[in-house]
Amino acid sequence: MEYIVITYLWLAIVLYFLLGGADFGVGIIEMFTSTKNISRTRRTMYHAIGPIWEANHMWLIIAIVILFVGFPVIYSQLSVHLHIPLVILLLGIIARGTAFVFRHYDAVRDNMQEIYNSIFVWSSFITPLFLGIIAGSVLSGHIDAKAHDFATAYVFSWLNWFSVAVGLFTVALCGFLASVYLIGEAEDAKDHHRFIHKAKTMNIAAVCCGALVFLAAQVERVPLANWIFGDAVGLSAVILATLSLVLLWTQIGSGRTTLLRILVGFQVTMILLAISYAHFPDFVIIRNGENLSLFTAQAPEKTMQALGSALLIGSVLILPALFYLYYSFQKKKVNGS
Amino acid sequence: MDDFLAARMQMALSLGFHIIYACIGMVMPFFMAVSHYKWLRNGNDVYKNITKAWSKGVAIFFATGAVSGTVLSFELGLLWPEFMKHAGPIFGMPFSLEGTAFFIEAIALGFFLYGWDRFNKWFHWFTGVVVGVSGLASGILVVSANAWMNSPAGFDYVNGEYLNIDPIKAMFNDAWALQALHMTIAAFASTGFAVAGVHAAMMVQKKNVNFHLKAFRIAASFGAIAALLQPLSGDLSAKDVAKRQPAKLAAMEAHYHTQASAPLLIGGIPDPENKKVDYALEIPGMLSYLAHGNFSAEVKGLDTIPERDHPPVPVVHYAFQVMVGIGTFLMVLSVMLLIAFRRKQWLSARWFLMLFALATPLGFIAVEAGWTVTEVGRQPWIIQGIMRTADAVTPMPGIAWSFYLFTAVYISLSIVIIFLLHRQIKMVPVQYDVPAGSSQKH
Ligand code: HDD
Ligand code: HEM
Ligand code: HEM
């Protein structure tokens, strides 16, 4: 059962990166869209994510629930040492979710829209930035369970080059995911070209930020290169990700939007696999101390049984409905609604 | 402000904020399902407009409910890491099931809000019902976690360790059934009277009376049925509390001294120093009856409980009085509504509508008061009799700042939401009074 729970945890995190990430990315794209095109872009975006954004964000909650039920020690350690970035993440989530809905449901269109827009755009940037910072900190080895002073315990645990680089990388990936996703949502040929162009730019940005992550890993002595290249699975994942990237560039103008989406999703999944597999089962890397492992920091047997069953039963109910949701709103769009 | 107090206040603030949206998210789908059904059945477009107008409000509330709930699932760890470390595996079962319920709710909501004119109309109606049912399910499940804190079960506590954990037993703890029942009824009562109150206020101003009267009838009927059941369920809850948390019951009643034929105090100002209550109205024997079903039974007072385990009496006592007072008032209002359904002229009488308009916030005030009773009445325990709240709090200093920050955020959000609802309501004539036949945008 523990493997089932761990698989679900991994899937929830990956799906949140992919779906929630594309969702954040849409806001990042909005940030980089010229005023000339902004209102059409907003409309396209609204049609693209309106019906599904709440469902996309459920993956985060699933991941958190799995953590606090199944791996309570990990959950409480991270809550203590990453308190500050978590609070910023939460504020970002509040701001973004509400601004997105408020701007659509405000019955009067006036300059309040400007306020909603800027809140939406900024929180779409800050939230994934801090999500990435948190993810980076979990691996960076800067969490110090024995720290005595405030700065070491609560600030440098997340404020370091590596974490920040991962944060930027996450933002770029979100933008990349979203722009590839939006290619398929474009209303006309001109938009189509715009989104392709965006996707290319975002991809270059993502590659640069990726390089930055490696650089920062060197500076902070995070054995990232070792994890990824010193491990057969990690290495193959990276090679596959690179291959899919090449394929993506050759196909980007082809109009095969589903293929593009699959490729970009595959690519991000491989990156996450490469990073997470190498130090499995360790989940949190702690400075000079006992890393928190998914095997040793586990809840008792009976809880894992119950949690695993709840997840399995839940999937049977959720997955068909979720696919039908995505499918319906895709199909209706093609039919020109 | 000291960090421990700040953490408690921040938790209370976040929960108190979330519960409003949670209640609305659980209950509004049912109101919409009724008006939607009426429209599908008899084709009266007013009902379609009511459904659409409500669904816009609900979309705003849902988004706020979803984000504030997300905040809560992090805050449990951010503020009470020591609690979650031990409690997570024990009381986590309802949360893992709740995940499914939320997911289904979010999916169904996507279909419902964006599915007008896109799907078979009965499928579309059905997705609305699914939103309500899964919302109720998630509410009932999460109350189980809270009930476990009031009546811990499903583990053995040996030398500070939590052994033989059984999450299923923990979920079906003693307090769950009655707390979930009372909470569910409260959600219907509070949302019902709030919605009815807004529509009554519009009728007082003679705006779109036809539209608002139909909406009022639906919401007020739900609210009234719930408000009539509420005191019955509350009475059961009180008996339950007397058994499992005598300290909480004593604090609710400001009952300092153990006594047979204990009187029920109405109002009054508790004086914790001298352990007495001033200016209260006493009904002899009533407390014994309410707590144990017998006018002469002995009711344990706070004197049977060590001083360091006393909850803060005045807050709990006042909150309980507020809840029961409002409960009684809403019950009277419900009876009047039943009369009004016979004497139709009341439904357009100004005084009658004013009464409902004034009752708009009362249900929610009672909900907040009720949770104050439950949660503050449990103090100093975070897990009754097992773990103290003070031992659970995060070691991180400076929580006061995060409390100020969240307070500012929640206040601003509340202001924006009121502003948005005001605009929605103001725009009702513009959006829905179009002559028949012309098209509507959604
Ligand atoms: C519309 C809201 C509302 C109204 C009118 C009432 N209640 Fe209530 N009450 C709640 C809303 C509520 C609540 C917010 O939903 C609580 C908090 C925890 C819970 O499960 O329900 C609650 C808790 C609560 C508790 C504590 C339960 C516990 O700690 O486990 C008791 C004893 C009562 N109530 C009793 C009553 C009585 C005797 C009422 C008589 C009129 C009453 N309530 C009206
Ligand atoms: C008795 C108290 C509570 C009740 C009755 C309740 C009920 C609900 C309901 C009905 C919803 C969905 C409606 C909406 O989105 O507006 C909701 C949302 C949510 N609640 Fe609560 N809740 C309570 C307390 C909590 C607590 C303590 C937590 C966290 C540990 C929590 C976590 C959440 C989350 C994560 C969501 C968002 C789900 C989504 O995205 O749809 N809730 N709650
Ligand atoms: C949504 C309705 C709820 C409201 C309005 C509410 C209200 C409160 C209040 C006022 C406090 C502060 C008590 C004090 O410190 O004096 C509190 C504490 C707390 N509540 Fe609730 N509560 C609700 C539901 C829940 C649920 C469902 C859970 C279950 C997980 C929960 C878990 C906690 C925890 C962990 C604390 C902090 C520890 C403590 O003070 O005992 N609450 N709540």
Side-chain angles (χ1 to χ4, degrees):
Chain A
M1 217 33 136
E2 59 196 8
Y3 283 99
I4 292 182
V5 175
I6 291 171
T7 312
Y8 269 95
L9 176 62
W10 191 77
L11 281 178
I13 294 174
V14 170
L15 284 169
Y16 185 59
F17 259 92
L18 290 180
L19 302 169
D23 210 278
F24 289 126
V26 163
I28 297 169
I29 303 271
E30 185 174 329
M31 186 180 248
F32 294 108
T33 300
S34 61
T35 18
K36 182 160 62 82
N37 297 318
I38 197 127
S39 62
R40 356 171 8 100
T41 305
R42 267 188 208 131
R43 198 173 58 226
T44 312
M45 280 168 32
Y46 185 75
H47 282 293
I49 64 175
I52 52 179
W53 78 268
E54 279 222 6
N56 286 346
H57 287 270
M58 286 306 302
W59 296 109
L60 176 64
I61 296 169
I62 303 285
I64 290 301
V65 169
I66 295 178
L67 269 186
F68 80 56
V69 179
F71 309 96
V73 178
I74 296 181
Y75 172 81
S76 55
Q77 276 277 358
L78 293 180
S79 310
V80 171
H81 291 284
L82 302 179
H83 193 116
I84 295 170
L86 282 168
V87 165
I88 300 174
L89 175 79
L90 290 178
L91 294 174
I93 289 177
I94 298 179
R96 197 186 117 92
T98 49
F100 180 72
V101 171
F102 291 175
R103 78 168 171 190
H104 185 68
Y105 282 98
D106 193 338
V108 183
R109 307 267 134 181
D110 57 11
N111 45 16
M112 278 300 282
Q113 290 288 329
E114 295 297 312
I115 302 176
Y116 304 136
N117 288 338
S118 55
I119 294 179
F120 175 72
V121 163
W122 277 103
S123 52
S124 294
F125 177 80
I126 289 170
T127 317
L129 176 67
F130 275 83
L131 198 66
I133 289 183
I134 291 164
S137 314
V138 171
L139 300 179
S140 72
H142 280 68
I143 292 180
D144 187 343
K146 300 193 185 70
H148 289 296
D149 61 309
F150 184 86
T152 323
Y154 303 111
V155 179
F156 297 131
S157 51
W158 56 275
L159 193 60
N160 57 63
W161 294 114
F162 181 69
S163 302
V164 173
V166 176
L168 291 172
F169 183 51
T170 309
V171 173
L173 277 186
C174 291
F176 181 41
L177 279 167
S179 46
V180 174
Y181 178 71
L182 285 177
I183 293 176
E185 304 283 321
E187 288 171 22
D188 58 21
K190 207 163 133 259
D191 275 2
H192 192 80
H193 278 290
R194 266 194 320 115
F195 289 132
I196 289 179
H197 181 71
K198 281 262 150 31
K200 289 182 177 167
T201 330
M202 286 293 173
N203 187 228
I204 293 168
V207 171
C208 295
C209 291
L212 202 65
V213 170
F214 274 98
L215 208 66
Q218 281 301 316
V219 176
E220 301 276 5
R221 281 186 231 163
V222 179
L224 184 67
N226 248 349
W227 285 339
I228 293 182
F229 301 116
D231 176 287
V233 175
L235 192 61
S236 354
V238 172
I239 293 174
L240 285 174
T242 318
L243 285 180
S244 68
L245 184 63
V246 175
L247 202 58
L248 184 75
W249 276 83
T250 60
Q251 293 290 323
I252 201 159
S254 72
R256 279 184 242 165
T257 50
T258 318
L259 177 71
L260 295 182
R261 286 180 189 179
I262 293 175
L263 282 175
V264 71
F266 177 76
Q267 206 189 332
V268 175
T269 312
M270 283 304 123
I271 295 174
L272 290 172
L273 178 67
I275 299 172
S276 56
Y277 189 81
H279 50 85
F280 178 81
D282 285 352
F283 190 81
V284 186
I285 311 292
I286 301 224
R287 164 168 303 178
N288 309 329
E290 302 270 295
N291 292 346
L292 294 177
S293 137
L294 288 172
F295 288 128
T296 53
Q298 221 173 64
E301 179 66 26
K302 262 204 164 155
T303 302
M304 296 303 269
Q305 293 283 352
L307 177 59
S309 327
L311 291 168
L312 288 172
I313 296 167
S315 328
V316 174
L317 291 172
I318 290 165
L319 291 180
L322 193 60
F323 281 122
Y324 188 57
L325 179 74
Y326 289 138
Y327 169 76
S328 325
F329 285 99
Q330 279 304 317
K331 193 186 65 178
K332 301 282 159 164
K333 227 165 295 159
V334 176
N335 293 350
S337 165
Chain B
M1 185 184 291
D2 94 67
D3 283 332
F4 175 46
L5 186 63
R8 289 168 63 189
M9 302 271 281
Q10 183 177 328
M11 195 71 205
L13 173 79
S14 313
L15 286 158
F17 186 80
H18 179 67
I19 192 67
I20 295 176
Y21 303 92
C23 286
I24 292 169
M26 285 190 279
V27 172
M28 281 308 285
F30 291 99
F31 296 180
M32 293 193 291
V34 171
S35 68
H36 197 171
Y37 180 83
K38 290 198 169 187
W39 172 60
L40 290 176
R41 274 284 128 150
N42 60 26
N44 184 344
D45 271 347
V46 174
Y47 285 112
K48 181 186 187 185
N49 292 340
I50 292 175
T51 315
K52 282 206 169 181
W54 276 345
S55 75
K56 288 183 185 165
V58 163
I60 295 171
F61 282 114
F62 255 105
T64 319
V67 294
S68 60
T70 308
V71 170
L72 278 175
S73 52
F74 282 89
E75 258 176 353
L76 284 176
L78 289 175
L79 300 173
W80 316 103
E82 196 52 31
F83 165 66
M84 287 309 283
K85 195 154 98 187
H86 301 290
I90 313 177
F91 83 168
M93 196 57 200
F95 285 111
S96 28
L97 296 172
E98 195 197 13
T100 304
F102 282 154
F103 226 128
I104 291 175
E105 193 181 353
I107 295 170
L109 190 72
F111 277 116
F112 182 74
L113 288 181
Y114 297 84
W116 287 95
D117 310 325
R118 284 190 174 187
F119 297 102
N120 171 301
K121 58 185 186 184
W122 286 106
F123 174 76
H124 182 231
W125 179 80
F126 175 71
T127 59
V129 176
V130 172
V131 176
V133 171
S134 48
L136 268 190
S138 56
I140 291 172
L141 283 167
V142 73
V143 168
S144 155
N146 181 267
W148 177 84
M149 294 161 60
N150 285 324
S151 87
F155 63 100
D156 295 321
Y157 189 62
V158 187
N159 297 331
E161 286 194 69
Y162 300 73
L163 302 175
N164 303 325
I165 288 175
D166 183 345
I168 308 290
K169 263 203 199 126
M171 183 161 121
F172 292 100
N173 59 69
D174 292 341
W176 181 24
L178 285 179
Q179 252 194 273
L181 177 71
H182 195 64
M183 175 68 238
T184 309
I185 297 176
F188 276 95
S190 52
T191 312
F193 278 98
V195 175
V198 170
H199 291 291
M202 299 312 284
M203 282 192 279
V204 170
Q205 300 171 30
K206 299 265 183 273
K207 290 189 181 146
N208 303 69
V209 172
N210 187 21
F211 176 97
H212 289 295
L213 179 63
K214 286 189 164 57
F216 172 83
R217 277 170 157 269
I218 296 173
S221 308
F222 273 102
I225 296 170
L228 290 171
L229 297 174
Q230 191 81 332
L232 299 177
S233 136
D235 178 48
L236 294 176
S237 290
K239 291 189 165 55
D240 200 41
V241 172
K243 258 190 291 171
R244 71 170 193 259
Q245 292 170 300
K248 185 192 280 182
L249 186 87
M252 277 154 55
E253 301 293 352
H255 186 59
Y256 285 105
H257 306 285
T258 304
Q259 193 179 349
S261 303
L264 182 72
L265 303 186
I266 301 200
I269 301 177
D271 176 353
E273 293 282 299
N274 304 312
K275 311 223 175 310
K276 63 185 178 64
V277 183
D278 301 322
Y279 314 115
L281 190 69
E282 292 192 10
I283 307 179
M286 199 61 190
L287 179 58
S288 296
Y289 180 74
L290 286 179
H292 300 295
N294 175 345
F295 283 101
S296 53
E298 183 182 86
V299 181
K300 277 192 197 150
L302 283 166
D303 51 4
T304 56
I305 293 149
E307 187 108 13
R308 61 193 285 263
D309 294 348
H310 284 191
V313 175
V315 177
V316 180
H317 180 66
Y318 295 138
F320 188 63
Q321 303 287 316
V322 167
M323 170 171 65
V324 175
I326 291 176
T328 315
F329 180 71
L330 294 184
M331 193 173 65
V332 173
L333 220 52
S334 309
V335 173
M336 287 172 56
L337 183 78
L338 296 184
I339 299 174
F341 282 153
R342 288 280 150 78
R343 299 192 185 186
K344 300 267 190 259
Q345 69 273 26
W346 280 19
L347 286 177
S348 51
R350 192 182 156 82
W351 64 268
F352 183 80
L353 296 172
M354 277 303 281
L355 215 52
F356 272 83
L358 289 175
T360 305
L362 290 185
F364 282 108
I365 297 176
V367 166
E368 303 288 356
W371 278 104
T372 309
V373 172
T374 305
E375 303 289 278
V376 181
R378 188 184 57 240
Q379 302 307 316
W381 302 103
I382 190 167
I383 310 174
Q384 179 74 39
I386 306 277
M387 184 191 279
R388 280 172 193 278
T389 312
D391 297 333
V393 71
T394 178
M396 165 143 152
I399 298 297
W401 294 105
S402 108
F403 168 62
Y404 299 140
L405 197 63
F406 277 96
T407 310
V409 168
Y410 283 145
I411 290 178
S412 339
L413 265 186
S414 313
I415 292 172
V416 178
I417 287 168
I418 292 170
F419 168 77
L420 283 175
L421 285 186
H422 178 74
R423 283 188 162 188
Q424 285 286 352
I425 294 166
K426 207 174 69 184
M427 295 300 277
V428 161
V430 184
Q431 288 183 323
Y432 299 114
D433 272 3
V434 283
S438 69
S439 74
Q440 306 214 338
K441 67 190 189 85
H442 76 203

